[in-house]
Amino acid sequence: QGRDFSFDDCGRAFTCLPVEEPGAPAEALVCNLDSLLWTMTHRLCVGSPPGVWVCSTDMLLTVPSTPGIDWDRFQGVRVIAVPGSQAYARNHGVYLTDQQGMVCDIIYKGTEAQIQQCAGADGTVPLVCGVVFFSSDAAEQLLATHVIPPLDACTYMGLDSGAPPIQLSLFFDIVLCMAVGLTEEEFVKGGGDANVRSARSVLWGALHAFPLSMACIPHASYDYLTTSASEHISSLNLLPGSASHLHFCKTAHSHVDQPCLLEDGSLVTNCLLEGAVQLAAGSVIQHCHLQGPLEIGPGCLLSGLGVDSSVALQGCPLRDIVLQGHHIRLRDLSCRVFTLTGRLDDWQSPAEEGTYLNMPWAEFFHRTGIREGHLWDPETPPQSRCLLSARLFPVLHAREVLGLEDVLWLLSPGAGRQLARWQGAWRMSWQELLPCLDKVAELGARQALFFLQGQRKVRRVLLGRQDCSLLPLARSAVHEGYHEVLLGTLDEVASTAGDAGIAARALACIAEVLGCMARGEGGLRSGPAANREWASAFGLLESGDIPRGVQELAAEARKWMGSPALLVRAARHYEGAEQILVRQAVMSSCQFVTVGRAELPPLGQWVQVACPARLDLSGGWSDTPPITYEHGGAVVDVAVLVDGCRPIGARVRRIGEPELRLVTLGGTAESQAVAELVCRELEHLQDYCQPHAPGALLKAAFICTQVVQFPSQKPLRAQLLDSFGGGFEVHTWSKLPHGSGLGTSSILAGAVMASVYRAAGKAASTQSLIHAVLHLEQRLTTGGGWQDQVGGLVPGIKIGRSKAQLPLRVEVERILVPEGFTQTLNNHLLLVYTGKTRLARNLLQDVVRNWYARLPSIVENAKVLVSNAEECAQALRQGNLPLLGKCLDRYWQQKKCMAPGCEPLAVSRMMDALRPHLYGQCLAGAGGGGFLYVLTKAPRQQEALHQILTNTKGLGNFSIHSIEVDTGGFSVEVVG
C-alpha cells in the first residue's frame, strides 16, 4: 500500500511489493524470502489451531486479506492451493480431491485427461503452491521420524553418523503418503532406489493415518519463479493469474522529482530519482540513485546503481537490458561490480544456440571484437560455454578505476581503447560472482538509500505542508540506527524554513524520533517542559531567532540521550519548543484586533459584562491550533442561557489607588469574594503566562489590552497614574463548575477583556474580541482554539470558519433558522451534568501530537469534522431535528476518535440509558466529563429524563438543567 517498510528483528528484508486497488481490501504480493512466512502468519493462520506451517519459497503468491479457510473441527494436515488455468497446470503440480476436499493424489505435469479430472465447476484446477499446515500431532509424528533409519540420513545427525544422504520431496514423499487415493504398495514402489523406498515405508507407517485435506483460496494466485529476466520484469509490473485485476503503485518508498515522466506500466521501488528521469512502460528501477537527464526504454531492469553511474548512462541506448550493480567481497577486499545482460537472454543455453544482449553470440563477437577465448578457458566444453560461465564482467584493473562504463560499452562498442581496457581487467562470470556477493553490504546500501530518499521525503512533506505521516519513517530510522541522520534533516528544515508553522511541525517530528528512541520506556510523553537547562533555547525561539533556537535545542538534546527517561523528557521539551512557535503563529491573529476610543467612565463606576455559555454542536477540535491554520476549521456553536441566566461575567471599575485589584467571586455577581489579589508592582505580573498562577488570566488581560505595558522600564504605579489617574478593580464569576465543557475560561477571558477595554476608555468589536482572546490564550500559554469565544460572544446560532493559512483569521456566519425553530430547540435541548470533572490535563498535547504525526485516522477525522459542521449548519437552516441529532451523534464519535478515552464508563451508561429517547447527544467541549447535552425526541423532557437516570445504576451524582438559545448575545453595561 506504499507504506514505509523496514527490516524485521533478525535483519531480514521484507519483500512485499506495493499493490493498490481503490476500495478493496489490502493485498500484498509476496515474493520468496521470509516475507512469505510473515504473510502466512498474518493471513492464513487466522483461526488455525496450534501447528507448524511449512512452505517452499520459489514462487510468487498473492493472498487475499481474508483467505476464508475453515478451520472448524480441523485435524491432520492441510495443503493450501490456489486456482489456476489448466494450461498453466501442464507444467506444474495439481491436487486431485474427493467431494469432501480430501486429497486423493498429487499430479505433476499430468496429461490433459488427468488435469481435467482435477478441475472444478469453474474450469480452474487447484495448483500446488508450496504451503502446507501440519497440526501439532502430525508435526510431532513427522519430527519423531528423524531418528528412524533411513530417514535419519535426511538430517546432519544421520550424516555425521556415516549414513548415505537421502533427498526427499515435501510433497511427493511426505505429503503424498497421506493421500487417500493411493495404497501403501503403490506409494512405496513409487520411490527411486531401495533407501528411498525404505524411507517411504517409514513415512507411510508414521503419517498415513492423518487426514490430508485441501483448502483452495479464492482470488489467490501463484506463479513459479524462473531465471528468465523477461518473466521477472513482467512479474514486477503485472500480477499473475487471478490477481491481474490489481495494479501496482507506480512508485513505492521512492523520491521522484518528476513523476510525470514515469509511464504507466513502469515501476520504481526504493529509489531516489533526481531531475528528468524518463522511464518507459514495462521497465523497472530498484534500489537506484540516479540524476537526469536519463531516458530508459521499455523492457529494462536497473538495480543497485549509485548516483555516480548517472553520467555514464546519459545518452546510452537502454532497451530490453538488465543492468545491475553488486557489492562483492573477495576475501578482505570489498568492491563494486556491474553486470549487463539482455532481457531475452537464457543463462544456460550453449553459446552456439544462445544470445547475449538479445543477439546471437556470433553477432556480439563481431560487433565488439571480443573472442570466445576472452570468455571461456580452452578446456571448457562447448555445452558449458554459456552466459552463466562467460567472464564478461570487469572486477579489478591494475592501473585504472573501473565503473559502469566498462560494461555499458558492450551496448554500443566504439574505439579499440574500450576493448583493450576491458581485456586488461580481471573479469569474472556470473557463476563466479554469485558466491562472492556481499549480502550484508547490499542490504546496508539499500537501507542507506531508503533513508537518503527518506530525508528527501521529510523535506518534501514538511516544506510542502503535506498531510503525510512521517511517524513510520521515524520508527524505521530508530530501528535501523539512522536516527541521527533523520534528526539532522529535521534540524535543517526547522532552521531554514523561514516559517514558524513548518518549524513547529519539524520540532514535533524531532520529539517523535526521541520518543521512538526511548522504545516505550521512560514514562509518559505528556508532561511539564520547563526545565532550566532548556531556557536558553526557549528564549531564542520566543525572541523569533528560530535558527539559533533550533541549534541550541539540538546541542541541549545531545546531553539527554543517556536513558529512556531522559529521552522522554527531551521529547517533552521539544514539544514545549514547538508550542512556542505555534503561539507565535497564532498571535499573528492580533492584526485583526481593532481598538477604538470610547468615553472614559468616571472613577468608581462599574463596567459589567455578562455572557452566555456555549454549546459546540459540531466541528470542535478543527478550531485548535495548529489544525485550524494547517487544515482549516469549521465549528457550529450556539450561545445558551443556563437555567434562564447568563452564567459567566466580569466587571471592572477605575479606582484612585494606582494598583490592580483582582477579585474572584462565587457563582454570581452578588456572591462573596473567594479569592483576592492586589498587584502594585510590575513584578507581580510576571507570572501571567503561568495558567495556574493566582490571577493569571486577569493579569494577561491587562497586558494584552495594553492597559499595562509589560515588560517596561516604567513602574506599574507610574503607568496607571499617567494614563488613567489610578488603578482598576476587577471582579469575575461563573456559575458553571470547573471542567464543564461549556467554554467557561475563554468566554470569561472575552468578558474580562471587553470590560477592561470599556473601563479604560476603549472600544473593541465582537470580531476583534474573538481574535483578542486567541492572542491572550497564547500569551497565557493555555493554547486552545477560537470556538469558545465565538460561541459565547456572538449571539444565537452560528458557524465559525478559519482557512488553512496564516495569519489566522476567524470569520463568523449567523445561521438563519426557520421561524419558531429557536423555541423548538429550547424545548428539545437539555443539559445533563454528568457529575464527572473533565480531566483534560494532557488531552490537548495528545491531540496536537497526533496531528503533527499526521496519523491517517486523525487527518481523515479533521476532514469529517469540518464536513459534519457544514451538514449540521444545513440541518439548522432546514429546522430538521432528526438530521441535527445525527450530526450530534456523529460529532461525538469524531471527538472520541480525536481524543480516545474521553468517554468515562459512567457517561457511557448515562448515554446508553438516554439513547432511545433522543435524536442525538454529545459531551460538551473536549469530553471526559462535564456537561452532556441531549436533543430529545419529545419536547420538555426534563422530568422524564431525570426519572430514567435515577433508575440507572452506577451514575453517581447528576443534575439536569434547562437551556435556551441566547439571541441577544453578551451585554456591556455601565452601572453605578
Side-chain angles (χ1 to χ4, degrees):
Q1 296 296 322
R3 297 184 177 91
D4 294 318
F5 68 88
S6 184
F7 292 74
D8 68 10
D9 291 337
C10 300
R12 298 169 295 199
F14 292 160
T15 55
C16 294
L17 301 180
V19 179
E20 61 177 2
E21 182 186 28
E27 307 213 10
L29 178 68
V30 181
C31 53
N32 62 30
L33 298 181
D34 300 301
S35 58
L36 177 61
L37 303 178
W38 181 84
T39 299
M40 295 304 135
T41 301
H42 285 75
R43 294 193 176 175
L44 299 183
C45 294
V46 174
S48 67
V52 176
W53 286 94
V54 181
C55 59
S56 60
T57 57
D58 55 348
M59 59 181 175
L60 296 173
L61 183 65
T62 309
V63 184
S65 56
T66 53
I69 301 175
D70 182 11
W71 295 102
D72 189 34
R73 295 187 296 276
F74 169 78
Q75 291 180 326
V77 177
R78 175 163 286 168
V79 292
I80 305 299
V82 299
S85 68
Q86 295 184 38
Y88 189 83
R90 289 175 192 149
N91 293 311
H92 296 276
V94 293
Y95 293 113
L96 175 64
T97 62
D98 60 19
Q99 292 183 343
Q100 287 72 43
M102 308 305 294
V103 177
C104 299
D105 199 357
I106 304 175
I107 298 170
Y108 182 67
K109 293 186 177 181
T111 65
E112 187 173 340
Q114 288 176 314
I115 294 173
Q116 178 64 39
Q117 193 179 4
C118 302
D122 61 355
T124 63
V125 293
L127 296 173
V128 177
C129 72
V131 183
V132 185
F133 178 75
F134 288 78
S135 66
S136 296
D137 292 344
E140 289 174 6
Q141 194 69 23
L142 173 62
L143 291 174
T145 63
H146 86 281
V147 295
I148 302 175
L151 289 174
D152 61 343
C154 295
T155 71
Y156 73 86
M157 297 290 287
L159 295 178
D160 290 351
S161 299
I166 296 179
Q167 182 175 355
L168 296 178
S169 163
L170 169 63
F171 292 95
F172 295 106
D173 293 312
I174 297 175
V175 173
L176 189 60
C177 75
M178 293 174 277
V180 296
L182 297 178
T183 65
E184 181 177 5
E185 183 179 2
E186 289 172 332
F187 174 69
V188 173
K189 285 184 176 180
D193 57 29
N195 280 338
V196 174
R197 289 194 295 272
S198 176
R200 281 190 160 206
S201 179
V202 173
L203 289 170
W204 181 278
L207 299 176
H208 183 70
F210 289 101
L212 177 64
S213 60
M214 181 197 74
C216 190
I217 304 174
H219 309 300
S221 62
Y222 163 88
D223 205 30
Y224 186 72
L225 289 175
T226 70
T227 59
S228 165
S230 182
E231 290 184 15
H232 180 63
I233 294 173
S234 296
S235 72
L236 294 177
N237 281 291
L238 297 172
L239 286 167
S242 62
S244 60
H245 64 286
L246 300 175
H247 302 283
F248 280 124
C249 300
K250 194 180 294 183
T251 61
H253 321 301
S254 299
H255 175 87
V256 181
D257 277 353
Q258 299 184 37
C260 60
L261 297 180
L262 307 181
E263 294 184 8
D264 291 340
S266 62
L267 181 69
V268 178
T269 305
N270 193 36
C271 289
L272 177 55
L273 304 183
E274 301 174 302
V277 178
Q278 186 169 344
L279 184 62
S283 287
V284 177
I285 307 180
Q286 297 177 325
H287 317 299
C288 291
H289 181 185
L290 301 175
Q291 290 179 341
L294 293 176
E295 185 174 344
I296 299 161
C300 295
L301 171 63
L302 274 60
S303 179
L305 304 181
V307 66
D308 52 348
S309 302
S310 301
V311 174
L313 288 170
Q314 290 175 4
C316 192
L318 301 180
R319 184 185 183 93
D320 292 327
I321 58 100
V322 178
L323 181 59
Q324 301 178 88
H326 309 276
H327 290 82
I328 69 167
R329 176 170 288 277
L330 305 170
R331 297 196 179 185
D332 295 331
L333 177 65
S334 296
C335 59
R336 291 272 286 156
V337 174
F338 299 95
T339 60
L340 175 67
T341 57
R343 179 176 65 86
L344 303 176
D345 296 341
D346 185 283
W347 286 96
Q348 295 177 309
S349 294
E352 294 177 356
E353 305 169 7
T355 63
Y356 179 57
L357 296 179
N358 308 311
M359 68 183 80
W361 279 100
E363 181 181 344
F364 170 75
F365 291 146
H366 176 73
R367 291 182 60 192
T368 60
I370 294 175
R371 300 289 178 262
E372 285 194 47
H374 295 144
L375 304 180
W376 298 286
D377 294 331
E379 59 270 19
T380 303
Q383 64 270 20
S384 298
R385 297 189 177 191
C386 59
L387 176 56
L388 191 64
S389 61
R391 295 192 182 99
L392 280 161
F393 312 117
V395 178
L396 296 171
H397 196 285
R399 294 182 303 277
E400 301 188 57
V401 177
L402 299 176
L404 183 62
E405 60 275 11
D406 292 292
V407 293
L408 286 178
W409 77 275
L410 299 172
L411 290 171
S412 51
R417 181 179 176 279
Q418 291 175 312
L419 175 60
R421 178 183 167 101
W422 179 86
Q423 289 176 307
W426 179 52
R427 304 180 307 280
M428 296 175 72
S429 68
W430 179 246
Q431 195 172 42
E432 294 167 332
L433 282 172
L434 191 59
C436 302
L437 294 179
D438 190 340
K439 300 177 182 66
V440 173
E442 183 61 37
L443 286 177
R446 294 181 182 188
Q447 281 181 305
L449 178 58
F450 173 75
F451 288 108
L452 178 61
Q453 59 91 8
Q455 291 174 261
R456 304 298 176 91
K457 178 179 180 179
V458 167
R459 296 187 184 96
R460 182 178 73 250
V461 168
L462 295 182
L463 296 176
R465 296 180 171 88
Q466 297 177 9
D467 286 338
C468 176
S469 178
L470 296 175
L471 184 56
L473 180 62
R475 288 171 175 162
S476 293
V478 170
H479 188 69
E480 305 299 338
Y482 280 83
H483 50 275
E484 290 187 6
V485 172
L486 185 57
L487 289 172
T489 302
L490 291 167
D491 283 336
E492 176 197 337
V493 172
S495 300
T496 61
D499 182 284
I502 293 174
R505 185 178 175 190
L507 296 183
C509 290
I510 293 174
E512 287 291 359
V513 175
L514 296 174
C516 291
M517 290 170 64
R519 299 182 186 275
E521 301 177 9
L524 297 174
R525 278 289 305 275
S526 297
N531 189 288
R532 294 180 181 178
E533 299 298 322
W534 299 82
S536 173
F538 282 15
L540 289 168
L541 295 178
E542 292 278 12
S543 69
D545 192 346
I546 294 178
R548 287 184 58 206
V550 171
Q551 185 178 357
E552 284 277 330
L553 286 171
E556 186 60 35
R558 284 191 284 271
K559 306 173 187 176
W560 295 64
M561 302 285 185
S563 70
L566 289 174
L567 284 165
V568 169
R569 291 167 65 192
R572 290 182 194 144
H573 283 81
Y574 262 94
E575 288 183 345
E578 151 228 307
Q579 284 303 311
I580 292 173
L581 300 184
V582 170
R583 289 200 295 274
Q584 291 180 347
V586 175
M587 284 194 289
S588 63
S589 65
C590 67
Q591 63 185 271
F592 304 117
V593 178
T594 303
V595 179
R597 290 181 176 273
E599 183 181 354
L600 186 68
L603 281 172
Q605 192 169 58
W606 289 102
V607 176
Q608 183 165 304
V609 175
C611 293
R614 72 94 184 91
L615 291 184
D616 55 318
L617 300 186
S618 58
W621 284 120
S622 72
D623 67 302
T624 303
I627 301 173
T628 192
Y629 62 74
E630 291 185 347
H631 175 270
V635 183
V636 175
D637 278 316
V638 56
V640 294
L641 306 178
V642 180
D643 293 330
C645 70
R646 292 173 178 152
I648 304 164
R651 61 186 178 211
V652 180
R653 66 175 178 178
R654 291 171 53 220
I655 57 177
E657 295 81 359
E659 61 189 22
L660 302 178
R661 296 178 190 169
L662 313 179
V663 181
T664 302
L665 305 179
T668 67
E670 291 74 33
S671 301
Q672 295 295 316
V674 295
E676 295 187 37
L677 181 67
V678 178
C679 300
R680 297 187 176 92
E681 307 291 341
L682 280 179
E683 289 75 14
H684 297 161
L685 302 179
Q686 63 185 4
D687 60 355
Y688 79 95
C689 58
Q690 299 174 22
H692 300 294
L697 186 148
L698 304 183
K699 296 173 185 177
F702 279 103
I703 293 171
C704 291
T705 56
Q706 298 185 341
V707 169
V708 174
Q709 302 296 321
F710 182 89
S712 174
Q713 298 297 319
K714 193 173 184 178
L716 177 61
R717 178 185 180 88
Q719 289 188 42
L720 294 174
L721 286 173
D722 290 352
S723 299
F724 306 103
F728 293 88
E729 181 176 353
V730 184
H731 293 183
T732 60
W733 63 89
S734 172
K735 291 181 65 176
L736 302 174
H738 178 68
S740 67
L742 299 180
T744 305
S745 59
S746 297
I747 297 172
L748 182 60
V752 171
M753 296 189 82
S755 56
V756 168
Y757 273 133
R758 185 68 184 85
K762 302 179 181 182
S765 66
T766 302
Q767 186 72 4
S768 292
L769 282 175
I770 290 169
H771 294 90
V773 173
L774 257 179
H775 178 244
L776 179 145
E777 290 188 329
Q778 299 306 315
R779 296 287 294 271
L780 191 61
T781 70
T782 55
W786 43 257
Q787 63 149 311
D788 295 345
Q789 58 265 37
V790 169
L793 299 180
V794 179
I797 307 168
K798 57 272 174 180
I799 180 169
R801 298 184 181 92
S802 63
K803 295 179 181 179
Q805 64 184 37
L806 289 172
L808 174 58
R809 181 170 189 169
V810 184
E811 297 177 331
V812 183
E813 174 194 347
R814 297 282 298 274
I815 297 175
L816 300 179
V817 299
E819 186 176 354
F821 184 69
T822 299
Q823 185 57 46
T824 301
L825 269 183
N826 294 340
N827 293 336
H828 287 263
L829 271 176
L830 288 171
L831 268 184
V832 182
Y833 185 60
T834 63
K836 300 292 180 183
T837 301
R838 180 170 57 89
L839 298 176
R841 185 177 307 160
N842 299 321
L843 203 59
L844 179 61
Q845 279 181 282
D846 293 340
V847 170
V848 171
R849 181 183 305 122
N850 292 338
W851 170 253
Y852 270 136
R854 289 305 195 273
L855 299 183
S857 61
I858 299 299
V859 173
E860 179 60 27
N861 201 48
K863 294 177 182 177
V864 297
L865 278 167
V866 172
S867 63
N868 189 55
E870 298 293 348
E871 186 174 348
C872 179
Q874 192 60 29
L876 288 163
R877 293 185 189 101
Q878 296 170 0
N880 189 332
L881 284 181
L883 180 56
L884 177 60
K886 288 181 181 178
C887 292
L888 298 186
D889 284 341
R890 196 181 303 136
Y891 180 34
W892 179 234
Q893 297 306 316
Q894 292 162 359
K895 283 187 179 183
K896 290 194 290 184
C897 175
M898 193 64 82
C902 66
E903 183 179 287
L905 180 59
V907 173
S908 296
R909 291 178 182 146
M910 183 176 289
M911 298 178 85
D912 289 342
L914 295 176
R915 187 167 287 112
H917 310 279
L918 308 176
Y919 284 127
Q921 56 186 327
C922 185
L923 276 177
F931 279 98
L932 169 72
Y933 58 90
V934 300
L935 186 66
T936 62
K937 293 179 179 178
R940 295 177 290 277
Q941 292 292 294
Q942 186 167 352
E943 292 300 326
L945 296 193
H946 191 280
Q947 189 61 44
I948 292 169
L949 295 180
T950 300
N951 296 333
T952 304
K953 295 181 179 180
L955 296 187
N957 296 324
F958 69 89
S959 58
I960 300 182
H961 304 263
S962 65
I963 52 175
E964 55 186 285
V965 178
D966 184 356
T967 57
F970 77 98
S971 60
V972 181
E973 298 178 304
V974 179
V975 296

